[in-house]
Amino acid sequence: MLEYYWLLRSVLRAKPHLRACLTRCRHCRIFFLTHPRNAGRHDLGCPFGCRQAHRKAGAAQRSADYYHSPEGKRRKSDLNQRRPRKYCAPRLPGGPPQVQSPKRRPAQPGQAQWPPAMVEHVRMVISLIEGRRISRRRVLEMLARVLRQLTIGRRRKIDQTVAWLNEEPP
Ligand SMILES: [Zn+2]
């Protein structure tokens, strides 16, 4: 968290024009950089979970509101009457159909899974900082590299502790 703010501050110091893009999450109050088209808005959710959580809640609420409206109730009863009492799915040769979302690519083994909203945020921020469009792929490569360095750093610390314990047993 502190590292995040430290990074954000150094980014803003290096790129003062991005200050206009600085906003605060209306749910958890964290500061974050938003896309220039949203500059100056203060009703946004952060990309670290709030935006997604509240979008989901909003959609559920809208759907509930709709089905409680007279129009929605009519539509629901129409749907219920149209639905056959018993429905047997037609059997397809070769087992159940593969359901695949078009956007998500299968994860490669050994690759960390990053929340897509988070990757998109990092991509947007790096693109803003560098002033050119950065691909999602580049961001994933970069995140993997950072994670690897963190792991190495952590391992080095553990090794040092073990070496120190060997030299000076408690
Ligand atoms: Zn938030």
Side-chain angles (χ1 to χ4, degrees):
M1 192 65 202
L2 274 174
E3 277 174 42
Y4 169 72
Y5 274 140
W6 179 82
L7 195 70
L8 195 59
R9 216 178 56 180
S10 45
V11 164
L12 289 175
R13 206 171 277 168
K15 309 273 169 177
H17 66 280
L18 291 182
R19 272 184 191 282
C21 299
L22 188 68
T23 189
R24 206 166 189 188
C25 175
R26 70 186 170 113
H27 306 295
C28 70
R29 313 302 296 153
I30 192 175
F31 282 101
F32 66 99
L33 287 174
T34 185
H35 194 275
R37 67 164 175 259
N38 291 326
R41 279 180 64 178
H42 296 284
D43 58 339
L44 301 167
C46 72
F48 312 115
C50 292
R51 191 183 298 164
Q52 234 173 350
H54 289 269
R55 189 183 291 156
K56 236 176 252 171
Q61 189 55 49
R62 276 193 298 280
S63 165
D65 286 349
Y66 175 74
Y67 280 113
H68 281 114
S69 70
E71 189 206 347
K73 275 185 180 153
R74 227 177 4 255
R75 168 133 180 88
K76 195 175 179 184
S77 114
D78 276 3
L79 283 174
N80 284 341
Q81 271 161 20
R82 221 175 292 156
R83 193 177 296 149
R85 285 286 164 264
K86 206 174 173 192
Y87 177 73
C88 297
R91 278 179 181 265
L92 293 171
Q98 296 281 316
V99 182
Q100 246 179 359
S101 63
K103 267 188 188 166
R104 201 170 295 172
R105 263 174 270 167
Q108 279 154 30
Q111 211 177 23
Q113 280 288 296
W114 304 95
M118 183 83 190
V119 174
E120 179 49 31
H121 176 68
V122 173
R123 196 195 64 71
M124 194 267 302
V125 171
I126 299 176
S127 302
L128 286 178
I129 294 168
E130 300 216 342
R132 64 196 170 99
R133 207 190 140 78
I134 306 292
S135 72
R136 218 181 102 83
R137 197 193 154 88
R138 279 285 311 279
V139 171
L140 287 173
E141 281 168 5
M142 194 197 70
L143 286 172
R145 198 165 58 231
V146 169
L147 191 72
R148 223 167 19 240
Q149 277 162 359
L150 281 176
T151 315
I152 291 169
R154 219 171 282 151
R155 201 173 296 148
R156 211 168 276 159
K157 210 171 265 177
I158 293 169
D159 286 349
Q160 279 167 4
T161 311
V162 170
W164 179 78
L165 281 173
N166 281 337
E167 279 168 31
E168 299 182 40

Short mmCIF file of all heavy atoms in Angstrom, two decimals, residues 49-89:
data_model
loop_
_atom_site.label_atom_id
_atom_site.label_comp_id
_atom_site.label_asym_id
_atom_site.label_seq_id
_atom_site.Cartn_x
_atom_site.Cartn_y
_atom_site.Cartn_z
N GLY A 49 -11.02 -3.66 -7.36
CA GLY A 49 -12.09 -4.50 -6.84
C GLY A 49 -13.41 -3.77 -6.68
O GLY A 49 -14.46 -4.33 -6.95
N CYS A 50 -13.35 -2.49 -6.25
CA CYS A 50 -14.60 -1.76 -6.00
C CYS A 50 -15.42 -1.58 -7.26
O CYS A 50 -16.62 -1.79 -7.25
CB CYS A 50 -14.30 -0.39 -5.41
SG CYS A 50 -13.61 -0.49 -3.76
N ARG A 51 -14.76 -1.20 -8.34
CA ARG A 51 -15.51 -0.93 -9.57
C ARG A 51 -16.29 -2.17 -9.99
O ARG A 51 -17.46 -2.10 -10.31
CB ARG A 51 -14.54 -0.51 -10.68
CG ARG A 51 -15.25 0.05 -11.90
CD ARG A 51 -14.27 0.37 -12.99
NE ARG A 51 -13.31 1.39 -12.60
CZ ARG A 51 -12.17 1.62 -13.26
NH1 ARG A 51 -11.87 0.89 -14.32
NH2 ARG A 51 -11.35 2.55 -12.86
N GLN A 52 -15.60 -3.31 -9.94
CA GLN A 52 -16.21 -4.55 -10.37
C GLN A 52 -17.33 -4.97 -9.42
O GLN A 52 -18.42 -5.33 -9.85
CB GLN A 52 -15.16 -5.64 -10.41
CG GLN A 52 -15.12 -6.33 -11.75
CD GLN A 52 -13.95 -7.27 -11.81
OE1 GLN A 52 -13.08 -7.27 -10.94
NE2 GLN A 52 -13.92 -8.09 -12.82
N ALA A 53 -17.04 -4.89 -8.12
CA ALA A 53 -18.02 -5.32 -7.13
C ALA A 53 -19.29 -4.48 -7.25
O ALA A 53 -20.39 -5.02 -7.22
CB ALA A 53 -17.44 -5.17 -5.73
N HIS A 54 -19.10 -3.17 -7.46
CA HIS A 54 -20.28 -2.31 -7.48
C HIS A 54 -20.98 -2.36 -8.82
O HIS A 54 -22.18 -2.11 -8.88
CB HIS A 54 -19.89 -0.89 -7.09
CG HIS A 54 -19.57 -0.79 -5.63
ND1 HIS A 54 -20.52 -0.49 -4.70
CD2 HIS A 54 -18.42 -1.04 -4.96
CE1 HIS A 54 -19.95 -0.53 -3.49
NE2 HIS A 54 -18.67 -0.86 -3.63
N ARG A 55 -20.25 -2.69 -9.87
CA ARG A 55 -20.91 -2.85 -11.17
C ARG A 55 -21.84 -4.05 -11.11
O ARG A 55 -22.96 -4.01 -11.55
CB ARG A 55 -19.85 -3.04 -12.27
CG ARG A 55 -20.45 -3.00 -13.66
CD ARG A 55 -19.39 -3.26 -14.68
NE ARG A 55 -18.43 -2.16 -14.77
CZ ARG A 55 -17.19 -2.29 -15.21
NH1 ARG A 55 -16.75 -3.48 -15.57
NH2 ARG A 55 -16.39 -1.26 -15.29
N LYS A 56 -21.34 -5.13 -10.50
CA LYS A 56 -22.13 -6.35 -10.36
C LYS A 56 -23.38 -6.06 -9.53
O LYS A 56 -24.48 -6.43 -9.89
CB LYS A 56 -21.28 -7.42 -9.66
CG LYS A 56 -21.18 -8.71 -10.45
CD LYS A 56 -20.27 -9.68 -9.75
CE LYS A 56 -18.94 -9.84 -10.47
NZ LYS A 56 -17.97 -10.59 -9.69
N ALA A 57 -23.17 -5.36 -8.41
CA ALA A 57 -24.29 -5.04 -7.53
C ALA A 57 -25.29 -4.17 -8.28
O ALA A 57 -26.50 -4.36 -8.17
CB ALA A 57 -23.78 -4.32 -6.28
N GLY A 58 -24.78 -3.21 -9.06
CA GLY A 58 -25.65 -2.32 -9.82
C GLY A 58 -26.49 -3.08 -10.83
O GLY A 58 -27.69 -2.84 -10.97
N ALA A 59 -25.88 -4.02 -11.52
CA ALA A 59 -26.59 -4.80 -12.53
C ALA A 59 -27.68 -5.64 -11.88
O ALA A 59 -28.79 -5.74 -12.39
CB ALA A 59 -25.62 -5.68 -13.29
N ALA A 60 -27.36 -6.24 -10.73
CA ALA A 60 -28.33 -7.07 -10.02
C ALA A 60 -29.51 -6.20 -9.58
O ALA A 60 -30.67 -6.60 -9.69
CB ALA A 60 -27.68 -7.73 -8.81
N GLN A 61 -29.20 -5.00 -9.11
CA GLN A 61 -30.23 -4.08 -8.64
C GLN A 61 -31.13 -3.66 -9.81
O GLN A 61 -32.34 -3.67 -9.70
CB GLN A 61 -29.57 -2.85 -7.99
CG GLN A 61 -30.55 -1.92 -7.28
CD GLN A 61 -31.38 -2.66 -6.23
OE1 GLN A 61 -30.84 -3.39 -5.40
NE2 GLN A 61 -32.69 -2.52 -6.28
N ARG A 62 -30.49 -3.33 -10.95
CA ARG A 62 -31.27 -2.91 -12.11
C ARG A 62 -32.20 -4.02 -12.56
O ARG A 62 -33.34 -3.79 -12.89
CB ARG A 62 -30.33 -2.51 -13.26
CG ARG A 62 -29.85 -1.07 -13.15
CD ARG A 62 -29.20 -0.62 -14.43
NE ARG A 62 -28.02 -1.39 -14.78
CZ ARG A 62 -26.82 -1.20 -14.25
NH1 ARG A 62 -26.64 -0.25 -13.35
NH2 ARG A 62 -25.80 -1.94 -14.61
N SER A 63 -31.68 -5.25 -12.55
CA SER A 63 -32.47 -6.39 -12.97
C SER A 63 -33.65 -6.60 -12.01
O SER A 63 -34.78 -6.82 -12.43
CB SER A 63 -31.58 -7.62 -13.04
OG SER A 63 -32.36 -8.77 -13.10
N ALA A 64 -33.36 -6.49 -10.71
CA ALA A 64 -34.42 -6.66 -9.71
C ALA A 64 -35.47 -5.57 -9.89
O ALA A 64 -36.67 -5.84 -9.87
CB ALA A 64 -33.82 -6.61 -8.32
N ASP A 65 -35.02 -4.33 -10.10
CA ASP A 65 -35.95 -3.21 -10.30
C ASP A 65 -36.84 -3.47 -11.50
O ASP A 65 -38.04 -3.25 -11.45
CB ASP A 65 -35.17 -1.90 -10.53
CG ASP A 65 -34.54 -1.37 -9.25
OD1 ASP A 65 -34.88 -1.91 -8.17
OD2 ASP A 65 -33.73 -0.45 -9.33
N TYR A 66 -36.23 -3.97 -12.57
CA TYR A 66 -36.97 -4.19 -13.81
C TYR A 66 -38.07 -5.23 -13.59
O TYR A 66 -39.21 -5.03 -13.98
CB TYR A 66 -36.01 -4.65 -14.91
CG TYR A 66 -36.71 -5.01 -16.19
CD1 TYR A 66 -37.24 -4.00 -17.01
CD2 TYR A 66 -36.87 -6.33 -16.57
CE1 TYR A 66 -37.90 -4.33 -18.18
CE2 TYR A 66 -37.52 -6.66 -17.74
CZ TYR A 66 -38.04 -5.66 -18.55
OH TYR A 66 -38.69 -5.99 -19.69
N TYR A 67 -37.72 -6.33 -12.93
CA TYR A 67 -38.71 -7.39 -12.76
C TYR A 67 -39.76 -7.03 -11.72
O TYR A 67 -40.76 -7.72 -11.60
CB TYR A 67 -38.01 -8.72 -12.44
CG TYR A 67 -37.49 -9.34 -13.71
CD1 TYR A 67 -36.12 -9.48 -13.94
CD2 TYR A 67 -38.36 -9.74 -14.71
CE1 TYR A 67 -35.65 -10.01 -15.12
CE2 TYR A 67 -37.89 -10.27 -15.90
CZ TYR A 67 -36.55 -10.41 -16.10
OH TYR A 67 -36.08 -10.92 -17.28
N HIS A 68 -39.54 -5.95 -10.98
CA HIS A 68 -40.58 -5.52 -10.05
C HIS A 68 -41.47 -4.46 -10.67
O HIS A 68 -42.52 -4.14 -10.13
CB HIS A 68 -39.95 -5.00 -8.74
CG HIS A 68 -39.53 -6.13 -7.85
ND1 HIS A 68 -38.22 -6.39 -7.54
CD2 HIS A 68 -40.26 -7.10 -7.24
CE1 HIS A 68 -38.17 -7.46 -6.77
NE2 HIS A 68 -39.39 -7.92 -6.58
N SER A 69 -41.06 -3.91 -11.81
CA SER A 69 -41.90 -2.93 -12.49
C SER A 69 -43.03 -3.68 -13.20
O SER A 69 -42.89 -4.86 -13.51
CB SER A 69 -41.07 -2.15 -13.50
OG SER A 69 -40.72 -2.98 -14.58
N PRO A 70 -44.17 -3.00 -13.44
CA PRO A 70 -45.31 -3.68 -14.11
C PRO A 70 -44.89 -4.30 -15.44
O PRO A 70 -45.25 -5.44 -15.74
CB PRO A 70 -46.31 -2.56 -14.34
CG PRO A 70 -45.94 -1.48 -13.39
CD PRO A 70 -44.48 -1.61 -13.12
N GLU A 71 -44.07 -3.56 -16.19
CA GLU A 71 -43.63 -4.06 -17.50
C GLU A 71 -42.81 -5.33 -17.31
O GLU A 71 -42.97 -6.31 -18.03
CB GLU A 71 -42.81 -2.98 -18.19
CG GLU A 71 -42.47 -3.28 -19.63
CD GLU A 71 -41.21 -2.57 -20.07
OE1 GLU A 71 -40.75 -1.67 -19.34
OE2 GLU A 71 -40.67 -2.95 -21.12
N GLY A 72 -41.90 -5.29 -16.33
CA GLY A 72 -41.03 -6.43 -16.06
C GLY A 72 -41.82 -7.64 -15.62
O GLY A 72 -41.53 -8.77 -16.03
N LYS A 73 -42.86 -7.42 -14.81
CA LYS A 73 -43.67 -8.54 -14.31
C LYS A 73 -44.40 -9.21 -15.47
O LYS A 73 -44.48 -10.43 -15.53
CB LYS A 73 -44.69 -8.03 -13.28
CG LYS A 73 -44.09 -7.95 -11.89
CD LYS A 73 -45.11 -7.57 -10.87
CE LYS A 73 -44.47 -7.51 -9.48
NZ LYS A 73 -45.17 -6.59 -8.60
N ARG A 74 -44.90 -8.39 -16.38
CA ARG A 74 -45.59 -8.93 -17.56
C ARG A 74 -44.64 -9.80 -18.37
O ARG A 74 -44.95 -10.90 -18.77
CB ARG A 74 -46.12 -7.78 -18.41
CG ARG A 74 -47.55 -7.99 -18.83
CD ARG A 74 -48.20 -6.89 -19.63
NE ARG A 74 -47.40 -5.76 -20.02
CZ ARG A 74 -47.48 -4.57 -19.44
NH1 ARG A 74 -48.29 -4.37 -18.41
NH2 ARG A 74 -46.75 -3.57 -19.87
N ARG A 75 -43.44 -9.25 -18.54
CA ARG A 75 -42.44 -9.94 -19.37
C ARG A 75 -42.03 -11.27 -18.72
O ARG A 75 -41.90 -12.27 -19.39
CB ARG A 75 -41.23 -9.02 -19.54
CG ARG A 75 -40.01 -9.70 -20.13
CD ARG A 75 -39.40 -8.87 -21.25
NE ARG A 75 -38.24 -9.56 -21.80
CZ ARG A 75 -38.32 -10.43 -22.79
NH1 ARG A 75 -39.47 -10.72 -23.35
NH2 ARG A 75 -37.22 -11.02 -23.24
N LYS A 76 -41.90 -11.24 -17.40
CA LYS A 76 -41.48 -12.44 -16.70
C LYS A 76 -42.56 -13.52 -16.83
O LYS A 76 -42.27 -14.69 -17.07
CB LYS A 76 -41.26 -12.13 -15.22
CG LYS A 76 -40.49 -13.20 -14.48
CD LYS A 76 -40.21 -12.76 -13.08
CE LYS A 76 -39.47 -13.83 -12.31
NZ LYS A 76 -39.28 -13.43 -10.91
N SER A 77 -43.82 -13.11 -16.71
CA SER A 77 -44.89 -14.09 -16.81
C SER A 77 -44.99 -14.62 -18.24
O SER A 77 -45.24 -15.80 -18.46
CB SER A 77 -46.20 -13.46 -16.32
OG SER A 77 -47.13 -13.32 -17.36
N ASP A 78 -44.75 -13.75 -19.23
CA ASP A 78 -44.67 -14.20 -20.64
C ASP A 78 -43.62 -15.28 -20.78
O ASP A 78 -43.85 -16.33 -21.38
CB ASP A 78 -44.27 -13.03 -21.55
CG ASP A 78 -45.47 -12.19 -21.93
OD1 ASP A 78 -46.58 -12.49 -21.44
OD2 ASP A 78 -45.29 -11.24 -22.70
N LEU A 79 -42.45 -14.97 -20.24
CA LEU A 79 -41.33 -15.91 -20.37
C LEU A 79 -41.67 -17.24 -19.72
O LEU A 79 -41.38 -18.30 -20.26
CB LEU A 79 -40.07 -15.32 -19.71
CG LEU A 79 -39.34 -14.24 -20.49
CD1 LEU A 79 -38.23 -13.66 -19.65
CD2 LEU A 79 -38.77 -14.81 -21.79
N ASN A 80 -42.30 -17.17 -18.54
CA ASN A 80 -42.62 -18.41 -17.83
C ASN A 80 -43.62 -19.25 -18.61
O ASN A 80 -43.54 -20.47 -18.61
CB ASN A 80 -43.19 -18.07 -16.45
CG ASN A 80 -42.09 -17.66 -15.49
OD1 ASN A 80 -40.92 -17.95 -15.75
ND2 ASN A 80 -42.44 -16.98 -14.42
N GLN A 81 -44.58 -18.56 -19.28
CA GLN A 81 -45.58 -19.32 -20.02
C GLN A 81 -45.00 -19.91 -21.29
O GLN A 81 -45.44 -20.95 -21.75
CB GLN A 81 -46.78 -18.41 -20.35
CG GLN A 81 -47.80 -18.45 -19.23
CD GLN A 81 -48.74 -17.27 -19.27
OE1 GLN A 81 -48.87 -16.62 -20.29
NE2 GLN A 81 -49.35 -16.99 -18.14
N ARG A 82 -44.05 -19.20 -21.86
CA ARG A 82 -43.47 -19.67 -23.10
C ARG A 82 -42.52 -20.85 -22.86
O ARG A 82 -42.27 -21.64 -23.74
CB ARG A 82 -42.70 -18.54 -23.78
CG ARG A 82 -42.92 -18.52 -25.28
CD ARG A 82 -42.26 -17.32 -25.91
NE ARG A 82 -42.91 -16.07 -25.54
CZ ARG A 82 -42.29 -14.89 -25.57
NH1 ARG A 82 -41.03 -14.81 -25.92
NH2 ARG A 82 -42.92 -13.79 -25.24
N ARG A 83 -41.97 -20.89 -21.65
CA ARG A 83 -40.98 -21.93 -21.36
C ARG A 83 -41.63 -23.30 -21.32
O ARG A 83 -42.64 -23.46 -20.62
CB ARG A 83 -40.33 -21.63 -20.00
CG ARG A 83 -39.10 -22.45 -19.73
CD ARG A 83 -38.49 -22.02 -18.40
NE ARG A 83 -38.04 -20.63 -18.42
CZ ARG A 83 -38.02 -19.83 -17.36
NH1 ARG A 83 -38.46 -20.25 -16.21
NH2 ARG A 83 -37.58 -18.60 -17.46
N PRO A 84 -41.12 -24.26 -22.06
CA PRO A 84 -41.72 -25.60 -22.02
C PRO A 84 -41.60 -26.19 -20.62
O PRO A 84 -40.64 -25.89 -19.90
CB PRO A 84 -40.91 -26.40 -23.03
CG PRO A 84 -39.84 -25.52 -23.54
CD PRO A 84 -39.93 -24.19 -22.91
N ARG A 85 -42.56 -27.02 -20.26
CA ARG A 85 -42.58 -27.58 -18.90
C ARG A 85 -41.33 -28.42 -18.66
O ARG A 85 -40.74 -28.38 -17.60
CB ARG A 85 -43.84 -28.43 -18.71
CG ARG A 85 -45.08 -27.59 -18.54
CD ARG A 85 -45.15 -26.92 -17.17
NE ARG A 85 -46.15 -25.85 -17.16
CZ ARG A 85 -45.82 -24.57 -17.37
NH1 ARG A 85 -44.58 -24.22 -17.59
NH2 ARG A 85 -46.75 -23.64 -17.36
N LYS A 86 -40.99 -29.19 -19.65
CA LYS A 86 -39.81 -30.05 -19.47
C LYS A 86 -38.92 -29.86 -20.69
O LYS A 86 -39.39 -29.96 -21.82
CB LYS A 86 -40.26 -31.51 -19.34
CG LYS A 86 -39.26 -32.34 -18.57
CD LYS A 86 -39.82 -33.73 -18.35
CE LYS A 86 -38.77 -34.63 -17.73
NZ LYS A 86 -39.21 -36.03 -17.78
N TYR A 87 -37.69 -29.57 -20.44
CA TYR A 87 -36.80 -29.29 -21.56
C TYR A 87 -35.63 -30.26 -21.55
O TYR A 87 -34.93 -30.38 -20.54
CB TYR A 87 -36.28 -27.85 -21.47
CG TYR A 87 -35.30 -27.50 -22.56
CD1 TYR A 87 -35.75 -27.31 -23.86
CD2 TYR A 87 -33.95 -27.38 -22.29
CE1 TYR A 87 -34.87 -26.99 -24.86
CE2 TYR A 87 -33.05 -27.05 -23.29
CZ TYR A 87 -33.52 -26.86 -24.58
OH TYR A 87 -32.65 -26.55 -25.58
N CYS A 88 -35.46 -30.98 -22.65
CA CYS A 88 -34.32 -31.87 -22.76
C CYS A 88 -33.34 -31.28 -23.76
O CYS A 88 -33.71 -31.03 -24.91
CB CYS A 88 -34.73 -33.26 -23.24
SG CYS A 88 -35.82 -34.07 -22.06
N ALA A 89 -32.14 -31.04 -23.30
CA ALA A 89 -31.12 -30.47 -24.18
C ALA A 89 -30.78 -31.49 -25.26
O ALA A 89 -30.64 -32.67 -24.96
CB ALA A 89 -29.88 -30.12 -23.40
#
